[in-house]
Amino acid sequence: MAERVPKIPGIRFDAIAGRGGMSIVWKAYHQRLDKVVAVKVMNQEATRTGQEIRQFMEEARAMTAIRHPCVVHGYEADCCNGRYYFVMDYVGGYTFASLLGRKGHVAEADALVICDSVAEALGYAWKEHNVIHCDVKPENIMVDMDGLVKIADLGLCRVMSNRRKAQTGPVDEIIGTPAYMSPDQIFADQPLDPRCDIYCLGASLYHLATGHMLFPDDDNDATLKAHVDDACRAPYPRELMPSLSVGFSRMLIKMCVKNRELRYRSWEEVLADSRLVQRGQLPAPPPAGAISSVKDEPPGVV
């Protein structure tokens, strides 16, 4: 059955651009902005509880507040004829999930561009707005028509105060996508910080660069267990993709350390190591005693 086109004054809906669990994204023309936009419209079934509405509007507020070239920007959010919606930039390129599906993996140089773009964007979001994305994955990393990498979909974002979570969901709620979810999100026993998104990006880059997920996602419970179980370690990146450099492999290991106290502490640290790798230099190895999601470097790696 064809999807019913929403009726919102000043917006002409042209085509469906994507579907999510509780919303549909339309390509549309916004008369006041005089531009093609994307409009995310919440499914009417999802508006029956206040929690879904709060989550939807939290994403809209975050995307409207964050102004960074590598974050998909939002313009307005409202409710019309019982339909909650918000307007954001239309990105006419592709996601890295779709590229992964076509090519099987991305080159290390491209993975480093993704790393830098996402790190700069989420570093800004944290520093200026206390926002944690919570769902960094290849589906949410896009390339626009000009080749600029952008992070999208803040639907699971959390706005953190200095002492506690903002009231965007229950403290014990598991939020994220199992294949890329950090142990911090799974345990949900402490307030989240950028180390959560660093792990998610590391898991995403591992998948993009090697063509294999950090842990198989055939069963969500098993995948979640693998992220937190010290005994579960994915293959060393170069075992799966020998063309990867030792420096980049070392970065992936450090991003995906299960114990967040031994992981990269900030986006600035990630960017510093990324630039070392791009210069052909080796980042420092993971800290002594780190339990990594991937195997330690094979003997003889220098």
Side-chain angles (χ1 to χ4, degrees):
M1 186 175 71
E3 186 67 34
R4 189 173 178 180
V5 179
K7 295 184 181 298
I8 298 174
I11 300 177
R12 185 190 72 223
F13 291 85
D14 295 330
I16 292 176
R19 296 177 183 269
M22 66 177 190
S23 61
I24 294 176
V25 179
W26 293 78
K27 181 180 180 181
Y29 174 76
H30 194 289
Q31 292 180 357
R32 180 176 60 80
L33 296 174
D34 190 24
K35 64 184 296 185
V36 174
V37 296
V39 183
K40 180 176 280 193
V41 182
M42 195 172 184
N43 296 334
Q44 288 182 307
E45 296 80 10
T47 61
R48 293 174 182 169
T49 68
Q51 181 178 335
E52 282 80 4
I53 295 172
R54 285 193 299 271
Q55 181 176 315
F56 186 85
M57 297 306 289
E58 185 68 36
E59 176 184 8
R61 283 191 290 270
M63 293 183 70
T64 301
I66 297 171
R67 293 182 175 271
H68 188 279
C70 294
V71 177
V72 175
H73 180 59
Y75 294 97
E76 63 184 43
D78 207 342
C79 181
C80 181
N81 300 319
R83 304 297 297 275
Y84 286 86
Y85 71 94
F86 73 85
V87 178
M88 54 189 167
D89 280 331
Y90 176 75
V91 180
Y94 56 86
T95 70
F96 277 99
S98 65
L99 182 66
L100 192 63
R102 295 196 308 271
K103 295 191 173 183
H105 75 283
V106 303
E108 178 176 319
D110 293 330
L112 286 164
V113 170
I114 296 168
C115 180
D116 287 358
S117 299
V118 175
E120 289 172 2
L122 294 185
Y124 171 84
W126 171 251
K127 183 177 179 180
E128 300 297 330
H129 301 280
N130 291 328
V131 166
I132 305 295
H133 190 288
C134 292
D135 201 23
V136 180
K137 58 185 177 180
E139 290 88 342
N140 288 339
I141 305 172
M142 312 179 71
V143 178
D144 69 12
M145 300 299 288
D146 296 322
L148 184 65
V149 175
K150 291 179 177 282
I151 186 77
D153 199 348
L154 292 167
L156 297 181
C157 75
R158 290 294 186 267
V159 181
M160 313 300 293
S161 69
N162 289 331
R163 295 188 179 180
R164 61 177 178 84
K165 289 183 177 180
Q167 294 181 355
T168 53
V171 173
D172 60 351
E173 178 187 7
I174 295 180
I175 50 173
T177 300
Y180 310 100
M181 194 182 298
S182 71
D184 322 5
Q185 294 163 269
I186 298 167
F187 285 125
D189 57 350
Q190 298 181 69
L192 299 177
D193 63 28
R195 292 172 292 183
C196 155
D197 285 343
I198 288 170
Y199 184 99
C200 297
L201 179 59
S204 298
L205 293 174
Y206 183 95
H207 189 187
L208 290 169
T210 69
H212 297 266
M213 288 185 175
L214 196 63
F215 301 112
D217 69 339
D218 297 333
D219 177 87
N220 285 345
D221 289 341
T223 301
L224 294 175
K225 182 177 184 296
H227 283 295
V228 301
D229 186 349
D230 290 346
C232 293
R233 300 196 188 186
Y236 182 66
R238 281 163 55 88
E239 292 178 14
L240 299 171
M241 189 62 62
S243 61
L244 296 178
S245 69
V246 172
F248 181 65
S249 297
R250 188 172 283 185
M251 263 190 69
L252 292 180
I253 293 171
K254 292 169 69 175
M255 294 177 80
C256 294
V257 172
K258 294 176 190 275
N259 182 348
R260 75 175 189 172
E261 299 302 324
L262 300 174
R263 201 180 303 152
Y264 283 114
R265 294 170 297 177
S266 69
W267 288 113
E268 288 80 8
E269 289 186 357
V270 174
L271 285 166
D273 271 6
S274 175
R275 285 157 188 161
L276 284 176
V277 173
Q278 291 173 62
R279 293 198 297 267
Q281 298 174 293
L282 277 179
I291 300 297
S292 177
S293 294
V294 294
K295 290 180 181 177
D296 298 330
E297 294 177 351
V301 169
V302 294

